């Protein structure tokens, strides 16, 4: 007789095998069906698995051992400053956290998002309804730990399947002390945030705290005015020289840049993502990473080819020391800023930043590069923006976000400065903006000749 795997080969095979491996106590119903529906989950607490009987594929509906109720228990809460209470199922760490709730529309890359230090002080609600299916690996982290306070998902995948996976998302959240909320309607939450703007929230697994107490906690906190750069930054300088792997060599550009290198770049770590360092290295840079508060005079003493200002969490107007350092370097060395780096440089140019209603967090934001009209699709993660009306003459807004017309990139030719509000390192996200790294290298090259 054919084995179950052979019989179920094709579209439904993976489901059938995965579900047969799930724990179950007894068979409740047995109904003959075709292989197409084999393995589909029927409802919470029940699993439909496939079996062979008399040469025909049959399904058996089995009851999962632990299930006492058809719906998972809601034992955690998200309480927002607007007074609303969202009940959810807890996973990961337990406890109580306060933070600003943002929604991220990326369809992939939850691990990179969770390890992006720019999310310090925030909770990320994923609009992609199914999170956790590829587990967690050791390669895709964007920093050494998770800085965000909580993640909020609609459906936490009960199956983890990827050849690189080393642990489940639940286990990772426990290890990283991140509170997880599942079975919360993240699309309804997103609609609220789009209407009202970003809201502060409290997540808790503590049943002893009243809703009123949590609403008051949420009302008493704000991310505005908080310097979080120095909290997530490294404490000592370090060197970086490792580029991205072979599969990133999709445009041949890195070869050209490397020909004239290496270029020595000093990178201010405001919460730097590792793929920015890797991408700079791939374009022929050797990088000295320095803490957020490192004096500009020490940076200039190193006589680098260029200075980089990284992404980072919180309010850009709350780190005046970073702006002062940028001012002291401007005009002396070619500079490049990404996201928080763009906002810090914007202030150093003389401009001001402001808070957007609900920010940009996702992998599909269209950007127009004004000099040529080229449109690129970009990865974004920011809540603040540079107000172009406050910029002095000589600063050109080179990139515009086509969703809301906000400033997404600047060039200040006279000062040898370029900035990007979004994420050319694409981790996660599309690679369209990779050219920025080459443009920075070109600026440094022009200084040498
Ligand atoms: N990714 C970033 O660097 C974010 C910058 C800043 N914290 C903002 O929210 O706008």
């Amino acid at each position: 007789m054919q084995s179950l795997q052979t019989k179920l080969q094709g579209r439904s095979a993976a489901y059938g095998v995965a579900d047969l491996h799930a724990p179950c106590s007894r068979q409740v119903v047995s109904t003959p069906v075709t292989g197409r529906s084999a393995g589909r989950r029927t409802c919470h607490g029940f699993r439909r698995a496939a079996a062979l009987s008399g040469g025909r594929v049959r399904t058996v509906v089995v009851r999962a051992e632990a299930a006492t109720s058809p719906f998972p228990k809601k034992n955690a809460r998200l309480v927002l400053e607007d007074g609303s209470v969202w009940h959810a199922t807890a996973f990961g760490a337990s406890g109580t956290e306060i933070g600003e709730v943002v929604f991220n529309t990326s369809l992939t890359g939850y691990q990179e998002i969770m390890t992006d230090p720019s999310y310090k002080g925030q909770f990320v609600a994923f609009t992609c309804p199914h999170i956790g299916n590829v587990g967690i690996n050791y390669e895709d982290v964007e920093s050494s730990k998770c800085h965000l306070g909580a993640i909020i998902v609609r459906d936490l995948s009960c199956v983890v399947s990827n050849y690189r996976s080393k642990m489940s998302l639940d286990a990772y959240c426990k290890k990283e002390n991140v509170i997880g909320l599942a079975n919360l309607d993240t699309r309804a939450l997103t609609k609220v945030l789009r209407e009202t703007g970003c809201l502060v929230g409290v997540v808790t697994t503590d049943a002893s705290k009243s809703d009123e107490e949590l609403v008051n906690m949420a009302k008493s906190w704000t991310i505005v005015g908080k310097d979080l750069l120095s909290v997530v930054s490294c404490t000592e300088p370090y060197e970086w020289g490792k580029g991205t792997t072979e599969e990133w060599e999709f445009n041949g550009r890195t070869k050209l840049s490397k020909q004239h290198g290496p270029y020595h770049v000093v990178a201010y770590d405001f919460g730097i993502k590792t793929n920015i360092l890797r991408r700079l290295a791939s374009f022929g840079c050797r990088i000295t990473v320095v803490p957020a508060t490192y004096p500009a005079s020490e940076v200039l003493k190193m006589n680098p080819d260029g200075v980089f200002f990284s992404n980072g969490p919180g309010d850009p107007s709350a780190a005046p020391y970073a702006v002062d350092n940028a001012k002291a370097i401007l005009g002396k060395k070619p500079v490049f800023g990404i996201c928080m780096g763009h906002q810090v440089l914007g202030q150093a140019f003389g401009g001001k930043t402001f808070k957007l209603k609900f920010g940009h967090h996702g992998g599909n934001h269209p950007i127009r590069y004004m000099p040529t009209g080229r449109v690129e699709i970009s990865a974004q993660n920011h809540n603040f923006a540079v107000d172009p009306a406050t910029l002095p003459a000589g600063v050109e807004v080179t990139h515009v976000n086509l969703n809301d017309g906000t400033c997404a990139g600047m060039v200040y030719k006279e000062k040898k400065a370029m900035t990007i509000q979004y994420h050319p390192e694409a981790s996660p996200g599309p690679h369209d903006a990779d050219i920025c790294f080459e443009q920075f290298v070109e600026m440094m090259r022009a200084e040498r000749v």
Side-chain angles (χ1 to χ4, degrees):
M1 196 202 263
Q2 266 180 310
S3 74
L4 178 65
Q5 275 90 340
T6 317
K7 188 81 186 178
L8 291 181
Q9 248 161 21
R11 277 176 305 165
S12 54
Y15 294 115
V17 173
D19 266 358
L20 283 178
H21 287 175
C24 55
S25 56
R26 63 194 170 94
Q27 295 183 0
V28 183
V29 191
S30 177
T31 346
V33 293
T34 67
R36 265 178 60 119
S37 59
R40 226 181 269 154
R41 229 164 19 118
T42 50
C43 66
H44 295 291
F46 293 90
R47 288 170 189 285
R48 178 179 288 177
L52 271 188
S53 168
R56 279 191 307 162
V57 178
R58 302 170 74 88
T59 57
V60 283
V61 178
V62 293
R63 190 192 288 270
E65 203 149 2
T68 50
S69 139
F71 301 104
K73 207 171 155 206
K74 300 233 170 164
N75 50 0
R77 279 169 295 166
L78 164 70
V79 177
L80 298 178
E81 61 178 313
D82 68 356
S84 61
V85 181
W86 302 68
H87 292 272
T89 305
F91 68 96
S94 46
T96 302
E97 280 286 339
I98 193 157
E100 185 178 62
V101 190
V102 298
F103 61 89
N104 188 307
T105 55
S106 291
L107 295 179
T108 60
Y110 57 82
Q111 188 176 338
E112 292 91 324
I113 291 166
M114 288 174 68
T115 51
D116 177 350
S118 308
Y119 283 113
K120 171 89 186 159
Q122 292 176 324
F123 305 152
V124 177
F126 291 94
T127 57
C128 178
H130 193 58
I131 298 288
N133 51 333
V134 290
I136 295 289
N137 62 63
Y138 293 148
E139 293 94 45
D140 290 347
V141 286
E142 279 299 323
S143 69
S144 58
K145 63 181 238 186
C146 290
H147 292 276
L148 45 61
I151 59 167
I152 303 166
V153 307
R154 173 66 188 88
D155 181 43
L156 177 69
S157 180
C158 57
V159 175
V160 173
S161 175
N162 186 272
Y163 70 103
R164 293 190 301 158
S165 176
K166 294 285 184 283
M167 69 184 93
S168 68
L169 179 56
D170 175 41
Y172 185 62
C173 285
K174 284 194 171 76
K175 181 173 159 283
E176 290 290 314
N177 201 27
V178 173
I179 300 177
L181 265 58
N183 297 316
L184 191 148
D185 188 346
T186 50
R187 292 183 181 197
L189 176 63
T190 299
K191 280 186 173 175
V192 169
L193 299 177
R194 281 180 60 96
E195 280 301 314
T196 58
C198 270
L199 291 172
V200 174
V202 177
V203 291
T204 188
T205 55
D206 182 351
S208 73
K209 288 189 163 59
S210 72
D211 291 346
E212 293 68 37
E213 203 181 328
L214 298 172
V215 171
N216 288 336
M217 249 177 101
K219 279 184 176 158
S220 65
W221 192 87
T222 175
I223 201 163
V224 176
K226 289 212 170 37
D227 167 28
L228 299 175
L229 307 190
S230 48
V231 181
V232 299
S233 177
C234 63
T235 49
E236 293 296 329
Y238 64 91
E239 300 296 316
W240 186 278
K242 199 167 165 250
T244 43
T245 49
E246 201 51 38
E247 67 262 26
W248 283 79
E249 299 308 321
F250 41 76
N251 55 21
R253 286 205 188 100
T254 58
K255 280 199 191 83
L256 279 174
S257 297
K258 270 182 187 150
Q259 274 168 16
H260 309 277
Y263 294 91
H264 181 213
V265 172
V266 174
Y268 269 103
D269 175 11
F270 300 147
I272 198 163
K273 285 174 73 185
T274 307
N275 217 44
I276 293 178
L277 292 173
R278 289 199 207 102
R279 238 21 223 148
L280 283 171
S282 285
F283 277 90
C285 302
R286 142 180 108 71
I287 306 123
T288 306
V289 185
V290 297
T293 53
Y294 207 69
S297 53
E298 294 299 312
V299 170
L300 292 170
K301 263 189 218 161
M302 289 187 234
N303 195 24
D305 291 291
V307 181
F308 176 77
F309 295 83
S310 87
N311 62 295
D315 182 349
S317 68
Y321 58 87
V323 178
D324 288 346
N325 281 332
K327 276 185 186 158
I329 291 164
L330 267 183
K332 300 193 178 88
K333 295 286 171 191
V335 299
F336 177 27
I338 289 180
C339 213
M340 176 57 84
H342 155 95
Q343 297 163 356
V344 164
L345 284 168
Q347 293 175 83
F349 295 164
K352 286 196 166 34
T353 55
F354 67 99
K355 196 160 190 282
L356 295 164
K357 190 174 175 188
F358 48 80
H360 305 145
H361 312 270
N364 63 349
H365 289 243
I367 297 291
R368 188 186 300 282
Y369 180 59
M370 301 311 278
T372 62
R374 182 193 75 215
V375 172
E376 51 188 60
I377 303 301
S378 68
Q380 304 243 346
N381 167 27
H382 66 112
N383 264 0
F384 293 85
V386 171
D387 179 358
T390 61
L391 293 168
V395 180
E396 186 191 349
V397 173
T398 47
H399 298 72
V400 172
N401 186 311
L402 291 177
N403 282 344
D404 59 7
T406 50
C407 167
M410 303 173 285
V411 162
Y412 198 170
K413 262 207 184 98
E414 200 186 305
K415 303 278 184 197
K416 299 173 280 194
M418 59 176 276
T419 72
I420 287 292
Q421 176 60 87
Y422 49 101
H423 290 273
E425 79 282 2
S427 192
H431 297 157
D432 301 19
D434 196 55
I435 193 170
C436 292
F437 295 106
E438 188 185 21
Q439 287 168 337
F440 180 41
V441 168
E442 280 307 308
M443 262 178 24
M444 293 190 283
R445 187 150 82 99
E447 278 297 288
R448 275 190 183 178
V449 289

